[in-house]
Amino acid sequence: MKLSKLVLLLLAISLFSCANKENKTQDTAMSGDIIDKTPFEFGVWVSANAKKPNEDYTKEFKKYKNAGIDEVLINTGTDPELLKRLVPIATKEGLKVHAWIMAMNRPGDSVALQHPEWYAVSREGKSCYDTRPYVDYYQWLCPTREASRNHVLSLVEGLAKVDGIESVHLDYIRFSDIFLPIGLLPKYNLVQDTEMAEFDFCYCDECINAFKKIHHKDPRESKNPAIDMEWKNFRLNAVKAVVDDAYKIVHKYNKNLTAAVFPYPEMADHMVRQRWDKWDIDEVYPMIYHGFYNEEVDWIGYATKQGVKDLEGKKTKINTGIYIPDFTSEEELKEAIVLAKENGAKGITFFDGPALSEANLKTIKETKASLK
């Protein structure tokens, strides 16, 4: 009798153990399913025009949604009223909206133009207020000077207050290009083998004095400021400080902070003093425009993977940005989408919406369906 009870007890323990293992296996499988089913999102950058009627925006947004697009990043010229007008139109069509802002580069900013001292100064001693590097719309503000950075942050806050947006999306959140993408150099008849003084920013009094206070030296007196790591890091941190403050502001309004950035952190660091893997930010949209760098389509996968690896252990997610005119066929466009997903991006974003042809939209829709 006692033996019989012992057998029954052992059998019950065994059954309980097996049930537990089965439940754990099911839980693990369910958890895996959730991860696998995380949607791969599609987005477009678009610029808004206040004169464009609502009916035209409805038609445009519907076109994107029908092609499988999930979100629109809208440049309203930092106009919160225009953004308020467009958000309900886009959301009605099932699109998420991000408020896209040109941050440190503020072309035509009527407030900033009243303050010449706000503008970044090159190593040559020339200000972006009246001497613009590369193109006339390069009107860069200094990220170190309190008044200029607070102006940018006030614009960020104005957009963050708008109901219904997903994020404030920072663009040009960096210094001006110390190096242009290699594919663009012929356009400007330039050879950039070194850090050229006319493209090296910012050497305004505010930056120099703040740096001297910390490091007790003047980078203007350096024979080769390109190898002064403290000076380089000072500028990386100046941009980071603006981003980190913007993060606090937008989260105060229960919005996210996102940004368009250069292809991967080391490259961004080298080209534009931008180290985005160290920022407080929710998502980044690296502009992996392969044609700008004379690269082939597979470079999109490489650059995406590099950014994902640099963000390991961080909450920041990546959406791969691609430039539609760079593609010579629908097969290449499909390859780019697949490469972004396979290399760890949470989504892909196209520059820009109006550049998408009917064939492109068809490819996007079909590729999205094939990823499920």
Side-chain angles (χ1 to χ4, degrees):
M1 186 73 173
K2 288 181 180 179
L3 183 61
S4 186
K5 285 182 179 179
L6 180 60
V7 169
L8 287 171
L9 178 61
L10 290 172
L11 180 61
I13 291 170
S14 175
L15 288 171
F16 179 79
S17 176
C18 288
N20 258 1
K21 286 179 181 175
E22 187 175 347
N23 286 338
K24 285 179 181 176
T25 302
Q26 288 175 348
D27 288 345
T28 302
M30 288 174 67
S31 176
D33 287 343
I34 291 170
I35 293 170
D36 291 340
K37 291 179 180 178
T38 299
F40 184 75
E41 295 185 318
F42 290 67
V44 288
W45 282 288
V46 298
S47 291
N49 183 344
K51 295 179 180 179
K52 185 173 177 176
N54 289 358
E55 295 77 16
D56 288 353
Y57 276 112
T58 296
K59 184 178 179 181
E60 181 181 357
F61 294 151
K62 193 182 294 290
K63 177 181 72 173
Y64 298 146
K65 185 62 180 180
N66 289 342
I69 303 295
D70 303 292
E71 59 182 19
V72 284
L73 300 96
I74 306 177
N75 180 4
T76 61
T78 329
D79 181 354
E81 295 307 314
L82 179 54
L83 185 63
K84 288 176 187 176
R85 177 187 142 202
L86 297 180
V87 168
I89 300 173
T91 53
K92 185 178 179 182
E93 297 306 321
L95 296 171
K96 293 186 284 188
V97 177
H98 301 258
W100 170 18
I101 172 177
M102 295 177 73
M104 299 319 302
N105 180 27
R106 299 291 309 153
D109 187 315
S110 59
V111 174
L113 286 169
Q114 297 175 43
H115 302 275
E117 73 279 6
W118 287 7
Y119 287 81
V121 175
S122 73
R123 183 157 34 107
E124 281 190 328
K126 296 179 180 179
S127 170
C128 285
Y129 176 76
D130 49 23
T131 305
R132 284 77 185 260
Y134 304 112
V135 288
D136 195 52
Y137 69 84
Y138 262 24
Q139 298 176 23
W140 296 88
L141 300 182
C142 172
T144 302
R145 186 178 294 272
E146 185 177 2
S148 51
R149 70 191 307 280
N150 284 349
H151 173 60
V152 172
L153 292 171
S154 71
L155 296 173
V156 167
E157 184 165 21
L159 296 174
K161 290 178 179 179
V162 176
D163 290 336
I165 66 165
E166 297 291 317
S167 83
V168 175
H169 181 71
L170 306 174
D171 197 3
Y172 292 94
I173 183 64
R174 55 182 179 86
F175 285 88
S176 181
D177 316 57
I178 186 69
F179 293 106
L180 283 179
I182 191 171
L184 299 185
L185 289 174
K187 179 180 178 182
Y188 298 94
N189 194 28
L190 280 172
V191 175
Q192 290 183 324
D193 295 331
T194 60
E195 293 191 0
M196 301 168 69
E198 64 188 292
F199 304 123
D200 186 11
F201 293 87
C202 173
Y203 288 76
C204 75
D205 290 342
E206 196 74 19
C207 284
I208 297 299
N209 290 335
F211 179 76
K212 286 169 68 176
K213 187 175 181 179
I214 301 168
H215 297 288
H216 320 295
K217 57 183 177 179
D218 189 335
R220 293 173 299 190
E221 298 172 0
S222 172
K223 292 182 179 178
N224 189 357
I227 61 172
D228 187 332
M229 290 302 102
E230 287 81 17
W231 176 228
K232 182 179 181 182
N233 197 49
F234 173 85
R235 289 175 288 176
L236 292 173
N237 285 338
V239 174
K240 172 177 164 55
V242 176
V243 176
D244 292 354
D245 282 351
Y247 180 85
K248 294 171 188 172
I249 289 168
V250 301
H251 276 254
K252 182 172 70 174
Y253 296 97
N254 298 314
K255 308 299 193 320
N256 287 328
L257 186 70
T258 61
V261 294
F262 268 54
Y264 54 90
E266 293 88 352
M267 190 173 191
D269 177 325
H270 173 69
M271 298 185 72
V272 295
R273 322 291 193 203
Q274 181 191 67
R275 189 70 199 216
W276 47 261
D277 57 328
K278 298 182 183 298
W279 294 351
D280 290 340
I281 195 162
D282 297 291
E283 296 184 16
V284 288
Y285 292 63
M287 299 172 288
I288 306 177
Y289 299 169
H290 64 288
F292 284 32
Y293 302 94
N294 294 343
E295 298 284 357
E296 298 179 4
V297 176
D298 61 356
W299 187 73
I300 292 169
Y302 166 79
T304 297
K305 185 175 182 179
Q306 187 62 53
V308 169
K309 287 180 70 65
D310 285 343
L311 288 172
E312 280 181 0
K314 300 178 182 293
K315 60 180 176 53
T316 307
K317 304 301 180 187
I318 280 183
N319 297 271
T320 297
I322 60 175
Y323 185 67
I324 290 301
D326 280 345
F327 295 93
T328 61
S329 69
E330 296 308 307
E331 290 73 23
E332 284 189 355
L333 178 57
K334 180 177 180 179
E335 181 185 358
I337 296 169
V338 173
L339 282 168
K341 186 174 190 301
E342 287 181 344
N343 284 282
K346 73 170 285 288
I348 190 163
T349 305
F350 309 102
F351 187 87
D352 63 354
L356 293 168
S357 67
E358 289 301 319
N360 294 155
L361 293 166
K362 183 173 182 288
T363 297
I364 291 166
K365 184 174 185 177
E366 290 175 352
T367 306
K368 184 177 185 180
S370 73
L371 296 177
K372 293 180 180 179

